Each structure stands twice: as C-alpha cells, then as structure tokens.
Amino acid sequence: MIIWMIIGMAVVTAIPRLVPALIVDFITFPKWMDRWLNAIPYAALGALIFPGIMSVKPDAPQIGVMAGLVTIFLAWLNIHIIFVVLGAIGSVFFLTL
C-alpha cells in the first residue's frame, strides 16, 4: 500500500512540473509577458541572496552590504564565478577582523 502512495505522490508532483515544460514551445507569449517571465530568475535570485547578505553578521548588517557590493563589482568585471564567491568570502573575513 505504501508503494502506491509513493508512486501517486511522485506522479502528482511530476505533472505540474512537466506540463509547462512540454507546452511552452507551442505557446507564443505577448512581448510584455515574455519580458516579465525573463525577469523572474533575477527576482528569485535577489530574494534568495538579499536576506543572507543582511544576516552575515546580525549586529553589523553593513558588513554584508559591503561584501555584496564587492561581489557585484567583481561580477561586473566578468571575473569567473569561483573568484567572485572567494571575493565575497574574503571581504566578509577581512571586514570582520
């Protein structure tokens, strides 16, 4: 009985994920909706990263903000992502000394 519950939950979870991926090639979105959909990954990334920046050191949020600015600058210079992450870690380390 439990195996059928697991299979059922897998199917119910897979359907809402697969259906949009299968039909998106057959739908033409208006230009404004296409621009809106293209902005979702950036908005989600910002929503995931910003709380972490503000909570690097709860009593001193300016450290997270400065490290975030260093990271934005390094990314703007098109430096490899590993070095951008290392720059963020290094800037937090040096700012908390």
Side-chain angles (χ1 to χ4, degrees), residues 30-94:
K31 201 68 160 165
W32 66 269
M33 187 180 288
D34 197 35
R35 284 194 320 263
W36 182 75
L37 290 171
N38 284 333
I40 290 175
Y42 300 110
L45 187 63
L48 291 171
I49 291 174
F50 189 72
I53 287 175
M54 296 307 289
S55 64
V56 168
K57 192 167 184 187
D59 56 330
Q62 67 273 14
I63 291 175
V65 172
M66 287 188 285
L69 292 173
V70 168
T71 305
I72 289 170
F73 178 70
L74 292 176
W76 183 66
L77 293 175
N78 289 327
I79 295 175
H80 193 275
I81 187 70
I82 297 296
F83 298 115
V84 173
V85 171
L86 290 175
I89 294 169
S91 62
V92 169
F93 175 75
F94 288 116

Side-chain angles (χ1 to χ4, degrees), residues 19-31:
V19 170
L22 294 174
I23 66 171
V24 75
D25 291 336
F26 302 109
I27 297 174
T28 305
F29 294 111
K31 201 68 160 165

